[in-house]
Amino acid sequence: MRARAPSSTPHSNRSAISAPSKAAAGPAYGPDGKKEGFEIYLATPENGKAASLGNGSMLAFKAPSRAAVEAFHAAALASGGKDEGAPGVRGETEPPFYGAYVRDPEGNKFCAYYKG
């Protein structure tokens, strides 16, 4: 998989999406094969159920701080979302991965994360 934004667009700073690099969950597709910025992961759903809309897919937002991750989680729950993982450190990476997970009322899964 390889995609490149045309250089004449306002988004000309986009990097190529190439694949796959290895991730714990499965193949990862990211700019120039790196796990930075926009990333797409192919993985088996964590709950062991069959992949479907909202299960086996997730949209993640890179947050500017841990406080922003906490605000995302609180706002999602206040708007009718379901908790799928309270804000906290996940794993043992450097820098630390601090994330929160929610589902919207339609069942789609979202994450906000901060590395640091």
Side-chain angles (χ1 to χ4, degrees):
M1 170 185 213
R2 192 161 183 87
R4 187 174 299 278
S7 60
S8 61
T9 69
H11 302 289
S12 61
N13 62 342
R14 290 183 186 164
S15 297
I17 304 298
S18 57
S21 63
K22 288 288 185 180
Y29 297 82
D32 298 320
K34 299 176 186 171
K35 291 177 53 184
E36 292 294 327
F38 177 75
E39 301 172 24
I40 299 172
Y41 290 87
L42 304 176
T44 302
E46 290 286 324
N47 63 9
K49 295 181 181 177
S52 63
L53 178 63
N55 194 43
S57 63
M58 178 181 66
L59 183 59
F61 301 97
K62 188 173 185 178
S65 66
R66 289 183 177 198
V69 171
E70 293 161 5
F72 159 85
H73 189 259
L77 297 182
S79 299
K82 178 184 171 196
D83 178 31
E84 287 284 321
V89 174
R90 306 291 197 283
E92 297 180 12
T93 62
E94 271 309 315
F97 179 93
Y98 188 84
Y101 300 85
V102 296
R103 287 192 189 269
D104 68 12
E106 288 77 37
N108 299 297
K109 191 171 184 179
F110 299 91
C111 170
Y113 71 93
Y114 175 71
K115 291 183 180 177

